Amino acid sequence: MHRSGATMAWNVFKFCTALRGLGSIMILLVLGVVGVTYYAVVITNYVPSLYNGGFDSLIAVLVLILFHALLVMLLWSYFSVVFIDPGSVPPNWRPTIDEERGEEDPLVGSEFSNVQCDPSNQRIRYCRKCNQLKPPRCHHCSVCGRCVLKMDHHCVWVVNCVGALNYNFILSLSTSLVTASLLPHFIAFFSDGEIPGTPSSLATTFLAFVLNLAFALSVMGFLIMHISLVAANTTTIEAYEKKTTPKWRYDLGRRKNFEQVFGMDKKYWFIPAYSEEDVRRMPALQGLEYPSKPDFDSQ
């Protein structure tokens, strides 16, 4: 039995190591798709249309402006998810109250002599891998080897975890990618007349369309799923935990749930950033404290 457990742990370690190596390849793949798309859309199709004059030039200008705006948003969101830390547990963090009464295998606060706990509720969360206490909605990532605040999932496409501090970027990335992928090719596909260009440029356009269509269809499903998660104020991991819980303590209503991810300042809703005022007045954006239903415990 001990031998089997050690073998399984070794296999998991190798799998997590492989994911870290695969992530670097995924970043190059994403940049390659972006490069092919840019060449096909801008260089091959719409820049030449600028010299045609008339309505074609107007359409080309509009498409190029929209495409570059979405491309900037896409790259900004993507590399923000790659480089921004999703949120780590601060050193010597201590809970003020237990907000995870439904957590499986809770530990008793008396096991830690240096932790002051609420006498009425002595159950707290502890990560045996990191040997530290865990804030509410925090989970351990085996790939990163650490606990991540409000962890949603580990994404191999960005070589990073998606958590409290970079979750809004992943939604902006999804929206931008779907729109930027389909719009220019959709217009070009239904345009009248024969598409000009050399065989190589037509092949590049076709390749870019197929790649972007595949990305768009897959990301569309991803986007729909995460919109539903945001509406319920939950994460991918917590969605599985909710199956055994009749009511979710963090579901504050759709509007407040949305604000827990994107903030209260409407000017920042369409860009992956927070205002200083929102950061100051909303502790949930820091990933350590989350408001819950006032009547949840009584129910």
Side-chain angles (χ1 to χ4, degrees), residues 103-125:
E103 184 74 13
E104 296 182 358
D105 192 23
L107 298 180
V108 179
S110 59
E111 296 181 17
F112 306 96
S113 58
N114 60 337
V115 177
Q116 299 296 328
C117 298
D118 182 3
S120 64
N121 185 10
Q122 296 188 352
R123 296 190 301 177
I124 58 177
R125 304 175 66 219

Side-chain angles (χ1 to χ4, degrees), residues 88-95 114-115 130-135 288:
S88 302
V89 181
N92 302 321
W93 177 86
R94 293 293 180 268
N114 60 337
V115 177
C130 296
N131 294 322
Q132 66 180 7
L133 300 176
K134 294 168 62 176
L288 294 173

Side-chain angles (χ1 to χ4, degrees), residues 7-282:
T7 302
M8 182 178 68
W10 171 248
N11 290 337
V12 171
F13 174 77
K14 291 195 297 184
F15 176 73
C16 295
T17 304
L19 283 181
R20 286 193 289 267
L22 181 63
S24 302
I25 300 176
M26 291 301 186
I27 292 179
L28 295 178
L29 177 60
V30 170
L31 294 179
V33 173
V34 171
V36 171
T37 302
Y38 189 88
Y39 178 81
V41 174
V42 177
I43 306 300
T44 301
N45 288 301
Y46 288 102
V47 168
S49 298
L50 294 175
Y51 302 97
N52 294 339
F55 186 71
D56 290 342
S57 296
L58 178 61
I59 292 296
V61 169
L62 295 176
V63 169
L64 289 174
I65 293 175
L66 180 59
F67 180 81
H68 281 89
L70 293 174
L71 180 62
V72 170
M73 177 66 73
L74 170 65
L75 294 177
W76 179 17
S77 300
Y78 181 75
F79 285 106
S80 294
V81 180
V82 172
F83 292 113
I84 289 182
D85 189 282
S88 302
V89 181
N92 302 321
W93 177 86
R94 293 293 180 268
T96 54
I97 58 175
D98 178 16
E99 295 184 353
E100 294 285 342
R101 295 187 180 184
E103 184 74 13
E104 296 182 358
D105 192 23
L107 298 180
V108 179
S110 59
E111 296 181 17
F112 306 96
S113 58
N114 60 337
V115 177
Q116 299 296 328
C117 298
D118 182 3
S120 64
N121 185 10
Q122 296 188 352
R123 296 190 301 177
I124 58 177
R125 304 175 66 219
Y126 186 80
C127 179
R128 294 183 175 88
K129 296 180 180 179
C130 296
N131 294 322
Q132 66 180 7
L133 300 176
K134 294 168 62 176
R137 312 183 74 176
C138 177
H139 293 83
H140 184 88
C141 176
S142 299
V143 181
C144 295
R146 61 190 175 104
C147 287
V148 177
L149 300 179
K150 195 184 176 184
M151 178 179 173
D152 187 89
H153 68 287
H154 183 91
C155 182
V156 297
W157 290 96
V158 298
V159 205
N160 197 5
C161 275
V162 178
L165 304 185
N166 63 354
Y167 182 76
N168 62 329
F169 291 100
I170 201 73
L171 279 179
S172 301
L173 171 64
S174 302
T175 307
S176 301
L177 182 60
V178 170
T179 310
S181 299
L182 289 182
L183 179 61
H185 298 289
F186 182 84
I187 296 175
F189 182 80
F190 288 98
S191 60
D192 296 331
E194 183 178 352
I195 301 177
T198 63
S200 60
S201 64
L202 294 177
T204 304
T205 301
F206 179 79
L207 176 62
F209 177 77
V210 172
L211 289 175
N212 280 272
L213 180 62
F215 268 88
L217 292 177
S218 60
V219 173
M220 179 64 76
F222 184 82
L223 176 63
I224 293 174
M225 180 188 74
H226 278 275
I227 289 177
S228 64
L229 292 177
V230 170
N233 197 7
T234 184
T235 64
T236 302
I237 295 176
E238 292 170 345
Y240 289 96
E241 297 175 349
K242 285 175 57 179
K243 292 181 179 180
T244 59
T245 304
K247 296 189 178 187
W248 185 238
R249 68 181 308 121
Y250 300 111
D251 189 356
L252 308 176
R254 292 185 179 180
R255 180 179 178 84
K256 290 186 177 180
N257 292 344
F258 181 85
E259 292 173 349
Q260 292 291 302
V261 176
F262 292 94
M264 300 175 63
D265 196 331
K266 297 180 181 179
K267 297 191 299 294
Y268 290 84
W269 282 1
F270 298 98
I271 59 175
Y274 299 123
S275 66
E276 294 183 1
E277 179 67 16
D278 278 351
V279 174
R280 184 185 61 81
R281 63 184 174 181
M282 299 184 65

